[in-house]
Amino acid sequence: MSKSPSERTYLDAQTGGESFEWVPPVSAEALNHRQLVDYNEHRKALIEWLAEAGKNPDMHEGYAESTVSNYAARLDKFYRWVWGQEGYTTRITHEHAEAYMECFATDQLCKENGDAYSGAHKRKTANAIESLFAWRAHERNGDAWSSDREFSESSGTSADYFTLEERKLLREGSLEYGTIPAYNDLSPEERTRWKAYLAQRLGIPKEEVSPDDWKKINRSWKIPSLMFTAIDVGFRPVGVQRANRGWVKPEKGVLLVPKEDAVKDGDEWEVALTDRTVTMLERWFIERETYPKYDDSDAIWLNRKGNRYNSDTLNYLLDNLCEEVGIDTEHRDISWYSIRHSVSEYVASEGSLAEAQKQLRHKSPQTTTRYAGASVENRRDTLDKL
């Protein structure tokens, strides 16, 4: 795995030019030689695991190189914060993680210019720390940790938008998301591992997983229908969470949200859907009837655990999809709200402000204008004309 600039070789001149490939210079300069050797080995084991198995340890599936680099940088900052509290250690505890995220939540940790970090930055930091404890649980018999904080809602309205090309990548990527190798292409050992994964994903005992389940997973319309609808509608996370089967009116090509289910006060909300999205939803509704967990639920979509989606599960889905299709989220405030803001951006510019206001159910055009800036594409077109 090639290193990002922050991960490349650091030469300690005082130790004869010894190479410490896994430690960023800012951390290396804060440690004595023996601490540096110890931290280098610790980082090496962690980063290699993230690259080889971090995403799905049971399937030995690692994160993409960009994600590994991102997590490694965030974790190094976390370690240095811990050292500032109590001195050098690699024995990071749940208490350290909770205290660090508390500092983020209360904005005690800020950018160099004094501005608070975005909700997306805070959430990604929590994800990185969760991966650290996942490594320790999987490799060193430690205990996993997960953050119970939700950062995305409070900062969602400041999220960056997706470009037209990125919207296309999200749509097309959803058609491949979650697919697995064909049953007949796997060895018996590989099938055993994938059966464990499918059992968890389908919520059934491993011995009940059949070859038909391979086809079912690879032919599922759940995620495509969710992403296509979100990209058309610009759903807030709570909109996805509340979405019910009866909202979809395929014959009219619309999604009709009753007044009592609308996110904000007002009349019922009728929002347009593309023909392609309507087709996705119709296919999903046929498939949906085959899953017992939907028997007593009106929800259009339920997550793997049988619960309605929330901001955390939607952001997790979006993070994974961005990684798979190659959308760079580093140094950008990307969250589920980025989908909504892209609808405002492009419906307003390609259609009209009034259309964007109706599609997003904004009460005033001023709200729509705030999120419908001049897109990069439109500004580039303007420059070309000058």
Side-chain angles (χ1 to χ4, degrees), residues 55-331:
K55 187 174 183 180
N56 189 332
D58 292 334
M59 292 294 106
H60 212 66
E61 178 185 2
Y63 287 114
E65 183 177 335
S66 60
T67 301
V68 173
S69 179
N70 184 301
Y71 280 14
R74 292 176 190 273
L75 288 172
D76 185 64
K77 290 181 180 179
F78 174 40
Y79 275 63
R80 280 188 275 119
W81 179 85
V82 172
W83 300 344
Q85 310 303 306
E86 58 186 57
Y88 173 76
T89 182
T90 58
R91 296 181 65 83
I92 303 298
T93 67
H94 289 191
E95 289 72 23
H96 290 142
E98 294 292 350
Y100 191 59
M101 295 315 301
E102 173 68 16
C103 288
F104 269 112
T106 57
D107 294 330
Q108 295 177 53
L109 290 175
C110 298
K111 300 177 183 178
E112 291 183 1
N113 63 4
D115 290 344
Y117 285 109
S118 68
H121 180 97
K122 296 172 182 178
R123 175 171 47 79
K124 290 175 182 177
T125 297
N127 291 345
I129 296 175
E130 287 174 1
S131 74
L132 165 65
F133 285 99
W135 166 61
R136 287 175 44 171
H138 194 262
E139 297 291 308
R140 304 194 173 188
N141 200 32
D143 293 324
W145 174 86
S146 61
S147 174
D148 59 1
R149 299 180 183 276
E150 293 189 19
F151 294 111
S152 55
E153 290 285 0
S154 62
S155 62
T157 54
S158 66
D160 294 330
Y161 67 88
F162 288 114
T163 66
L164 287 175
E165 177 61 24
E166 288 170 340
R167 285 168 57 87
K168 175 183 175 183
L169 287 173
L170 289 173
R171 284 196 186 95
E172 305 306 328
S174 72
L175 296 173
E176 294 187 39
Y177 185 83
T179 57
I180 63 175
Y183 183 86
N184 292 330
D185 292 341
L186 297 172
S187 68
E189 293 78 12
E190 290 171 329
R191 287 174 188 167
T192 298
R193 291 198 298 271
W194 279 107
K195 276 188 176 182
Y197 168 76
L198 283 174
Q200 181 185 34
R201 184 166 167 182
L202 297 173
I204 60 177
K206 181 179 176 181
E207 57 272 15
E208 293 182 12
V209 176
S210 69
D212 286 342
D213 291 316
W214 258 263
K215 296 178 182 178
K216 197 173 197 178
I217 287 294
N218 285 341
R219 295 176 181 177
S220 177
W221 293 100
K222 175 186 166 184
I223 298 302
S225 68
L226 170 54
M227 292 305 303
F228 272 69
T229 302
I231 292 170
D232 279 1
V233 175
F235 263 142
R236 298 178 178 91
V238 70
V240 178
Q241 186 176 51
R242 295 180 183 180
N244 285 328
R245 171 67 180 82
W247 293 9
V248 180
K249 310 297 181 186
E251 68 283 356
K252 295 180 64 178
V254 301
L255 189 144
L256 187 64
V257 184
K259 178 179 179 179
E260 61 270 19
D261 290 322
V263 174
K264 297 184 178 180
D265 295 335
D267 298 327
E268 66 180 13
W269 176 30
E270 185 177 73
V271 59
L273 299 173
T274 64
D275 290 341
R276 198 176 179 194
T277 298
V278 170
T279 299
M280 299 278 180
L281 285 165
E282 289 179 320
R283 288 170 175 164
W284 165 236
F285 289 150
I286 294 172
E287 177 190 348
R288 179 181 175 278
E289 296 300 314
T290 68
Y291 296 108
K293 67 182 177 183
Y294 288 94
D295 289 348
D296 299 316
S297 177
D298 292 328
I300 299 180
W301 306 282
L302 295 175
N303 64 25
R304 189 180 300 176
K305 295 182 179 180
N307 301 319
R308 288 178 181 256
Y309 282 87
N310 58 29
S311 60
D312 283 344
T313 49
L314 289 170
N315 280 314
Y316 179 78
L317 166 64
L318 184 62
D319 284 346
N320 286 337
L321 189 53
C322 285
E323 181 185 342
E324 289 195 7
V325 301
I327 294 176
D328 185 9
T329 60
E330 185 64 5
H331 306 304

